[in-house]
Amino acid sequence: MKKIAVIFGTRPDTIKLASVILELKKEKKYFKVITIATAQHRQMLDQVLDIFKLVPDYDLNIMLPKQTLVTITQNTIKKLDDVIVKEHPDLVIVQGDTTTTFVGSLVAFYHQIPVGHVEAGLRTNDKANPFPEEINRRLTSAITDLHFAPTETAKRALLKENISRNSIFVTGNTVIDALNIAIKKNYKFTVPLLNEIILQKKKIILLTMHRRENWGKPMKGACKAIKRLALLYPDFNFVFPVHLNPVVGDVVHGTLDNMKNVFLIAPLDYSDFVNFMSKTYLIITDSGGVQEEGPHFGVPILVLRKVTERPEAVKYGTVKLVGLDEETIFKTAKRLIEDKTAYKKMASAVNPYGDGLSSKRTVQIIKNYFNISKTKVEEFIPHK
Ligand code: UD1
Ligand code: UDP
């Protein structure tokens, strides 16, 4: 019997680990699964836990209003240490690039416990973008023993850093496993406003923003572009679930409050969000996860970043990097609204990130690692 500790704490890492946890828990004969939530996010984490019916064995409850990178690190490290000392797992699993990810892997390393990293190998090679995630990923990779790379591109990035080929596995991204759990035909939204917006039958533009490197002026510029679009296209509805960070909320509300066709709403629970996403015309976002989900539905995405660590959908044409310049965002979105050919070119459903089997592959690889089985795991290959 091996003890596996899964550490998570924010909205995206929990969404992307949920299917791995559920899959690990099926293997009762071989694994005892300990779930540890740092709760770097509180309400946005609880929304995800509810959807996937997960109750963490440990909840470190560290979130503070307007927390800094230092306070997250400081408040997580000692509490995580206490749990790891008590449980002494045989493997620690972390996901992605948050401070929870990095600190989780660091504490495991201090106790010489092997680490499995889900969504390993994403790189921009620019330490300021995304900040601090690019460095969180690199630090985590330096510690990791089992690298679950979502794509071939991610695997290549790890090989370039001289990480042993034998420790890298292309699994696909568990973001698609989560989508398969959450997407339902004839879905009724729990937030009544969403049902009302759908009934209006106007085209919908969905927005999300939160990245630290975009705080302040860049975010303000993006919001101004949205405002101009909303004024120019009253027949479109703009729906913006606003991240709970007050730094984000202040800018978004300061620019976009009191507009008839802009709905600034609280973060949606994951099921509402992804089911709503499938009904939108265009998505404008700086999110990592949303960039991976949109292509699944064939919804064009404009990404508010200078660089992306997710080049696959850009290559396929569903995602365009627009940066943070107000004029560029405005003009690019305008073109997609007015030029049907340009729109159609982007709006094709592609799935470069996963096939829904990523968590199954991940768990099989863990079984092989512990010599519980020796089943060969076929790598994920995207189909266009
Ligand atoms: C964090 C991650 C980022 C990830 C994002 C997903 C780090 C450094 N950043 O950024 O990589 O893309 O989550 O959303 O790990 N807040 C609440 N309730 C919540 C969540 C947040 O009130 O449920 C507010 C709090 O005031 C908190 C602030 O938002 O202090 C910022 O949260 P934090 O986790 O530090 O940063 P994010 O921008 O959410
Ligand atoms: N998401 C959600 N509710 C929302 C907005 C986003 O559940 O109101 C989900 C979305 O489907 C995706 C994830 O949150 O899976 C992305 O999280 P976020 O943008 O906060 O972080 P990132 O992916 O950029 O790290």
Side-chain angles (χ1 to χ4, degrees):
M1 191 76 157
K2 297 291 177 188
K3 199 186 264 189
I4 318 277
V6 187
I7 301 176
F8 48 89
T10 68
R11 172 167 70 187
D13 57 8
T14 312
I15 290 168
K16 288 171 171 178
L17 280 174
S19 59
V20 176
I21 294 170
L22 296 174
E23 204 60 44
L24 279 169
K25 283 192 170 179
K26 286 186 195 164
E27 303 282 352
K28 286 192 178 54
K29 212 170 129 195
Y30 306 116
F31 298 139
K32 179 167 172 44
V33 183
I34 310 285
T35 50
I36 308 168
T38 62
Q40 176 182 331
H41 284 173
R42 186 68 275 167
Q43 304 90 323
M44 285 159 57
L45 168 73
D46 292 342
Q47 281 183 317
V48 182
L49 295 175
D50 286 351
I51 293 296
F52 291 100
K53 300 188 176 54
L54 294 173
V55 181
D57 297 306
Y58 295 90
D59 189 323
L60 311 183
N61 200 25
I62 66 110
M63 195 196 86
L64 294 172
K66 290 199 181 184
Q67 61 204 1
T68 65
L69 297 176
V70 169
T71 58
I72 311 170
T73 306
Q74 178 179 301
N75 294 339
T76 305
I77 197 160
K78 176 69 179 104
K79 286 188 172 182
L80 256 186
D81 186 56
D82 292 344
V83 177
I84 296 299
V85 166
K86 183 173 162 218
E87 293 287 350
H88 206 86
D90 298 292
L91 178 71
V92 161
I93 306 268
V94 292
Q95 194 282 340
D97 53 20
T98 66
T99 299
T100 290
T101 316
F102 162 57
V103 177
S105 66
L106 183 67
V107 172
F109 171 67
Y110 285 163
H111 292 284
Q112 294 177 289
I113 296 167
V115 172
H117 184 204
V118 174
E119 199 184 78
L122 271 59
R123 295 290 186 271
T124 60
N125 294 313
D126 172 353
K127 75 176 187 181
N129 285 289
F131 174 85
E133 290 82 1
E134 175 71 5
I135 289 299
N136 281 344
R137 294 170 188 146
R138 290 197 228 168
L139 296 171
T140 303
S141 293
I143 291 171
T144 293
D145 301 270
L146 291 173
H147 305 261
F148 303 109
T151 63
E152 191 57 39
T153 313
K155 177 179 177 172
R156 278 201 300 273
L158 292 168
L159 289 172
K160 246 172 106 181
E161 290 171 17
N162 294 323
I163 287 169
S164 155
R165 189 176 284 276
N166 298 336
S167 67
I168 310 170
F169 309 89
V170 180
T171 55
N173 199 311
T174 55
V175 75
I176 306 297
D177 302 33
L179 273 187
N180 287 346
I181 297 173
I183 294 295
K184 301 266 183 308
K185 265 194 182 159
N186 306 319
Y187 182 85
K188 278 272 164 290
F189 296 98
T190 62
V191 173
L193 177 70
L194 298 181
N195 292 315
E196 288 161 29
I197 289 173
I198 300 287
L199 281 177
Q200 285 184 16
K201 292 197 162 44
K202 288 182 176 180
K203 286 191 177 131
I204 298 163
I205 298 187
L206 179 64
L207 308 149
T208 83
M209 270 180 232
H210 72 280
R211 303 234 71 85
R212 269 185 161 73
E213 68 275 12
N214 293 345
W215 286 0
K217 223 174 148 193
M219 203 171 270
K220 180 97 188 155
C223 287
K224 280 189 186 160
I226 307 298
K227 184 172 183 167
R228 286 167 63 192
L229 291 165
L231 288 169
L232 189 62
Y233 301 106
D235 288 342
F236 278 68
N237 276 328
F238 293 72
V239 179
F240 195 156
V242 185
H243 192 287
L244 291 181
N245 192 336
V247 180
V248 174
D250 289 352
V251 172
V252 172
H253 285 281
T255 322
L256 293 167
D257 260 345
N258 303 318
M259 297 192 62
K260 265 197 191 140
N261 55 338
V262 180
F263 298 90
L264 303 181
I265 56 177
L268 293 170
D269 78 36
Y270 175 66
S271 287
D272 269 5
F273 187 80
V274 290
N275 282 283
F276 190 71
M277 193 187 238
S278 70
K279 304 200 180 311
T280 59
Y281 178 82
L282 173 69
I283 299 173
I284 304 178
T285 186
D286 64 6
S287 164
V290 176
Q291 273 179 77
E292 296 157 342
E293 292 160 342
H296 187 76
F297 303 112
V299 180
I301 307 204
L302 300 184
V303 173
L304 305 167
R305 298 192 189 198
K306 289 183 193 145
V307 280
T308 182
E309 61 291 270
R310 294 164 169 96
E312 295 85 355
V314 177
K315 206 173 97 198
Y316 282 6
T318 329
V319 167
K320 203 172 249 160
L321 276 184
V322 278
L324 274 302
D325 174 60
E326 178 189 331
E327 201 55 32
T328 311
I329 299 166
F330 174 75
K331 280 194 179 142
T332 315
K334 186 171 183 281
R335 177 144 186 259
L336 288 175
I337 290 171
E338 292 181 359
D339 180 343
K340 285 208 172 75
T341 316
Y343 183 83
K344 269 200 185 142
K345 237 176 122 186
M346 278 187 83
S348 63
V350 291
N351 211 329
Y353 297 113
D355 56 3
L357 299 172
S358 307
S359 32
K360 279 201 183 346
R361 289 190 187 93
T362 304
V363 171
Q364 186 58 52
I365 290 156
I366 296 171
K367 282 168 82 177
N368 292 354
Y369 175 76
F370 284 119
N371 291 318
I372 292 167
S373 70
K374 290 216 178 309
T375 310
K376 185 171 169 6
V377 181
E378 296 299 332
E379 294 202 324
F380 162 68
I381 300 170
H383 297 287
K384 199 167 176 190

